[in-house]
Amino acid sequence: MTRRPAILCFALLALPAALSAQDAPIGPELDAWLSRAQRTAPGKWGVVVADQSGKILWSVNGSDPMVPASTVKLLTTGFARTVVGSDARRATRVVGSGRVNPLSGTWEGRWALELNGDVTLERRDRTGPSLTELAKQLADIGVRRLVGPLTVTTSVGEPRSRYPAAWSDRHRGRIFAPPVGPITLNENIVEFTVAPGSKAGARAVLVGDAPAGAGALVTMAATTVTGKRSSLRMGVQKNGRWVISGRIGTRAGARRFASVAGDPTAVLEAAWQHAVASAGINWSHTASIGSTDPGERRVLAEIVSQPFDSIAHEINTRSLNIGAELMLLWGGGVDRAADRLTQHVRAVTGLAEGVTLHDGSGLSADDRVSPFVFTSYLAKFPLTAAGKNFPLLLPANGSGTLRRLAAGLPGPGVVRAKTGTLGNASTLVGYLGRNSGTLLIAAMYNGGSVYAAKQAEWTLFRLLGANGVVVPLDMDSGGALGSTPDEPPSP
């Protein structure tokens, strides 16, 4: 296999014969690397380097369960894809029973919003579906007036989002750990942009919000002063609203604030109010009118997410915790989903030990995975019906959380991997393309020198991939990643 151009290649590439210990004596190099890594990052190291069949070429503490951090997302991706398929989409709907009054345009009957945990819904960058699109579909069928309180329903359990019990309380309220569940708008983060008023002494002005309409939940207490300095603050109130206070100069630039949506239902109501108004629909929050017989509920309007593979690739590239938890919900349901994920990994790898998972994102401090479980999964999952081109769902070196792995490698696509970082863990797990075959690497560190460990992990991948090639994507060719389905990887 000749060296390929360093570009993101979507073509299906044939894979050469598996790398063997005889044609790539990597042991001495890795012994020296480990010695340096242990000096710069004291703690526990667990590392497995395997060939594409899963056969171990070099390892240290390979069977020891360790804190995996965000590399759990790699496993969640495979699990959810197995259950729902690569083309599955999440729907957001208006459902109801009744009719449109042809004279007044009033919807006479019952109606509700159905949310199902679409992580792309109502994004600030407008890359996903929006509630305004949904409301415009109602306008297209003649609805000009909605009456009654907002009712929320879901097809995935209880229609609410909450902070996962598996996550440590110390993460609560932080941007990377918002509430998780069917009600998800802008990844359950609210963002507000504040600009100075027209003159000194005037109130500051809210000039942007995400999701659109969330600004209705903000109390603006900030004032405009002369000059270009600002000292703005945003506080969270007990009722799930926000207050912005302080001062902003007449010549100061706009300031943007972000906060976790502690009450996603309140944000949804504000966003829906904005959406129906934008569509020319008046919403009266009074008791329902018209028929009280729900009749047969039907879909009145519907918007859908991008396909699963597109969402999964972004979740892994950004290491988006709420996205991984929603993938777990998507694939595992609301009850014992983490147990189902654990069983999936055991079934794919054929290993009964070395993996216990409590969430889908890796934010739980109780998750444990051994390096050997990771390399076994990397070898075996691509051979399953759901595993075709699995590496494509992981970020390439030079992008996302692997952006610092650009230097020292021939180009993007040589590595397809997932990073993980917690206060006591640094991990890097994935595929590395070489002329003589694809390597499967799980580098895991648990200890207090996380930054130094991360640098050592980058060094490991650069050391093994200095002459690398784009990771092949064709899992069905004669040189497919993994061993035969009935042959477990060699320990």
Side-chain angles (χ1 to χ4, degrees), residues 176-419:
F176 61 80
V180 175
I183 302 177
T184 300
L185 288 81
N186 194 39
E187 300 168 11
N188 280 341
I189 301 298
V190 293
E191 299 168 279
F192 306 113
T193 304
V194 181
S198 58
K199 60 182 180 180
R203 289 284 187 192
V205 181
L206 191 69
V207 296
D209 58 359
L217 301 175
V218 171
T219 298
M220 182 59 70
T223 57
T224 306
V225 296
T226 302
K228 57 182 180 181
R229 293 187 176 182
S230 62
S231 57
L232 296 175
R233 301 175 298 278
M234 184 171 75
V236 182
Q237 299 179 306
K238 291 183 179 180
N239 59 2
R241 299 174 65 94
W242 292 267
V243 58
I244 296 177
S245 58
R247 300 177 178 181
I248 184 169
T250 52
R251 293 181 287 127
R255 292 279 309 279
R256 187 168 72 87
F257 296 89
S259 175
V260 168
D263 184 357
T265 302
V267 175
L268 172 63
E269 186 161 2
W272 181 241
Q273 178 68 72
H274 176 272
V276 294
S278 298
I281 299 173
N282 176 265
W283 177 23
S284 301
H285 297 231
T286 59
S288 248
I289 65 171
S291 172
T292 58
D293 180 6
E296 182 180 354
R297 190 181 74 169
R298 68 181 192 274
V299 176
L300 308 178
E302 180 180 74
I303 51 179
V304 295
S305 71
Q306 298 168 351
F308 174 87
D309 275 8
S310 178
I311 294 173
H313 178 266
E314 182 190 358
I315 288 169
N316 286 313
T317 299
R318 294 175 53 200
S319 202
L320 185 62
N321 290 321
I322 185 175
E325 297 300 335
L326 290 174
M327 279 201 303
L328 180 62
L329 181 69
W330 200 349
V334 295
D335 297 319
R336 304 182 68 84
D339 289 344
R340 293 188 179 92
L341 170 60
T342 300
Q343 290 305 317
H344 162 81
V345 176
R346 291 174 178 172
V348 169
T349 61
L351 302 171
E353 304 294 335
V355 54
T356 303
L357 300 172
H358 297 270
D359 69 351
S361 61
L363 203 54
S364 171
D366 295 324
D367 290 334
R368 294 293 184 273
V369 184
S370 73
F372 181 51
V373 165
F374 270 125
T375 56
S376 298
Y377 192 87
L378 293 176
K380 301 288 281 186
F381 183 70
L383 295 174
T384 68
K388 185 176 177 63
N389 292 342
F390 178 64
L392 191 61
L393 303 185
L394 307 178
N397 54 299
S399 66
T401 57
L402 295 185
R403 62 188 179 278
R404 294 183 181 176
L405 196 53
L409 292 171
V414 171
V415 173
R416 290 280 182 171
K418 183 71 195 74
T419 61

Side-chain angles (χ1 to χ4, degrees), residues 3-222:
R3 181 172 174 177
R4 299 185 180 277
I7 60 174
L8 184 59
C9 180
F10 289 89
L12 300 180
L13 306 177
L15 207 62
L19 180 70
S20 68
Q22 287 73 30
D23 60 21
I26 61 176
E29 285 184 310
L30 295 189
D31 289 342
W33 168 84
L34 179 63
S35 179
R36 293 191 299 270
Q38 289 174 327
R39 288 196 302 271
T40 58
K44 181 172 183 177
W45 281 92
V47 184
V48 169
V49 178
D51 69 15
Q52 60 201 35
S53 73
K55 179 182 178 181
I56 294 178
L57 305 178
W58 185 90
S59 71
V60 57
N61 299 324
S63 297
D64 292 0
M66 299 180 66
V67 178
S70 280
T71 47
V72 169
K73 294 179 176 70
L74 179 156
L75 305 173
T76 304
T77 298
F79 168 58
R81 196 190 203 207
T82 298
V83 176
V84 305
S86 60
D87 296 325
R89 298 172 186 262
R90 274 303 205 204
T92 302
R93 305 180 176 101
V94 180
V95 296
S97 59
R99 71 184 187 98
V100 179
N101 185 309
L103 299 178
S104 65
T106 300
W107 176 259
E108 296 179 341
R110 297 188 177 185
W111 64 276
L113 287 183
E114 180 189 302
L115 274 74
N116 295 302
D118 176 7
V119 72
T120 68
L121 181 64
E122 279 292 324
R123 283 182 164 168
R124 175 172 55 88
D125 60 8
R126 305 294 186 259
T127 56
S130 71
L131 294 177
T132 298
E133 297 173 51
L134 197 66
K136 286 180 178 177
Q137 291 183 29
L138 287 183
D140 289 342
I141 64 172
V143 176
R144 295 293 177 267
R145 183 169 179 249
L146 287 174
V147 179
L150 177 62
T151 299
V152 185
T153 185
T154 180
S155 64
V156 290
E158 187 181 1
R160 61 174 296 184
S161 295
R162 66 189 73 184
Y163 187 79
W167 291 357
S168 170
D169 280 343
R170 65 191 177 90
H171 299 313
R172 191 183 295 268
R174 304 181 74 177
I175 293 296
F176 61 80
V180 175
I183 302 177
T184 300
L185 288 81
N186 194 39
E187 300 168 11
N188 280 341
I189 301 298
V190 293
E191 299 168 279
F192 306 113
T193 304
V194 181
S198 58
K199 60 182 180 180
R203 289 284 187 192
V205 181
L206 191 69
V207 296
D209 58 359
L217 301 175
V218 171
T219 298
M220 182 59 70

